[in-house]
Amino acid sequence: MLNAPEASPTGRRVISAIVIVVALVLQVSVANRLPLPGGVTPDLVLLSVVALALVSGSLTGCVAGFCAGLAADIVPPADHTIGRYALVYCVIGYVCGVAAGEMDRQSMVPFFAVAAGALLGTLAYAATGMLLGDPRASWTIVARMVPLQVLYDVIASPFVVWAVLRATRRYDRPERGRDRFSVPAARYRAMSGRTRL
């Protein structure tokens, strides 16, 4: 039986760009208009960056985070210093991509990573606002908004992560030299350890 051909890196890039554009459009047209308590909405763009980083690694997470953040910085109703989202999303994408190597995509760990990424992203955005003198980024406002932001992001994360996993499933990185019938080395070692007398 023939193995499926490897997906091209160009296909991964195109899918990542489409995911970011769709998340940005949904953020501006749907999420920002939701009448949620506290005046806070889920950050679909940040969740998409985190999900892409978990699926594709740190380089894709960093680049996708920078591009998504820069787009979020300039798309109306942007009312902050240009570059804040680009910096925050770039760092969060890189950190989540580095952490992706330690996670099993079949477990609930990616959803906890999305929650941690949402928390770190919200705090980093608030911190950059405080450093730049944004009057909306005071400790009292941040302390009130961060729990709601993280809660809304956690509620939205299963849907965003599922959508990104579905979109990028075709472009998963196969392990080289492995067919679908081979046994991973760690599992093989575990199985061979059980058979010893």
Side-chain angles (χ1 to χ4, degrees):
M1 179 170 187
L2 294 176
N3 291 336
E6 274 190 41
S8 71
T10 305
R12 279 192 207 108
R13 291 183 194 120
V14 169
I15 291 296
S16 297
I18 290 171
V19 165
I20 290 170
V21 168
V22 168
L24 192 61
V25 168
L26 288 174
Q27 181 70 45
V28 172
S29 62
V30 177
N32 286 350
R33 298 172 191 265
L34 292 174
L36 297 173
V40 182
T41 59
D43 193 344
L44 303 179
V45 180
L46 175 63
L47 294 175
S48 298
V49 168
V50 171
L52 282 171
L54 291 175
V55 169
S56 302
S58 59
L59 180 62
T60 300
C62 187
V63 172
F66 179 78
C67 294
L70 193 58
D73 281 329
I74 60 176
V75 169
D79 57 353
H80 56 272
T81 307
I82 291 180
R84 280 176 66 187
Y85 277 128
L87 173 66
V88 170
Y89 290 176
C90 180
V91 170
I92 295 300
Y94 177 76
V95 169
C96 289
V98 168
E102 306 299 321
M103 289 187 260
D104 178 14
R105 286 182 54 194
Q106 301 300 327
S107 67
M108 292 298 291
V109 176
F111 295 108
F112 293 121
V114 170
L119 174 63
L120 291 175
T122 304
L123 291 175
Y125 182 75
T128 57
M130 288 180 207
L131 288 173
L132 295 172
D134 187 350
R136 296 167 295 183
S138 67
W139 284 113
T140 56
I141 295 173
V142 169
R144 178 181 60 82
M145 291 179 68
V146 166
L148 286 174
Q149 181 73 49
V150 173
L151 175 67
Y152 294 152
D153 285 347
V154 167
I155 291 170
S157 67
F159 305 105
V160 175
V161 170
W162 178 82
V164 171
L165 289 176
R166 290 287 291 171
T168 60
R169 181 173 41 177
R170 179 174 180 208
Y171 298 101
D172 282 345
R173 291 178 289 186
E175 293 180 31
R176 297 206 184 267
R178 220 184 121 187
D179 64 349
R180 66 183 213 172
F181 297 111
S182 66
V183 178
R187 187 169 170 207
Y188 177 75
R189 276 185 248 126
M191 287 182 347
S192 63
R194 282 188 227 142
T195 58
R196 289 183 190 163
L197 297 174

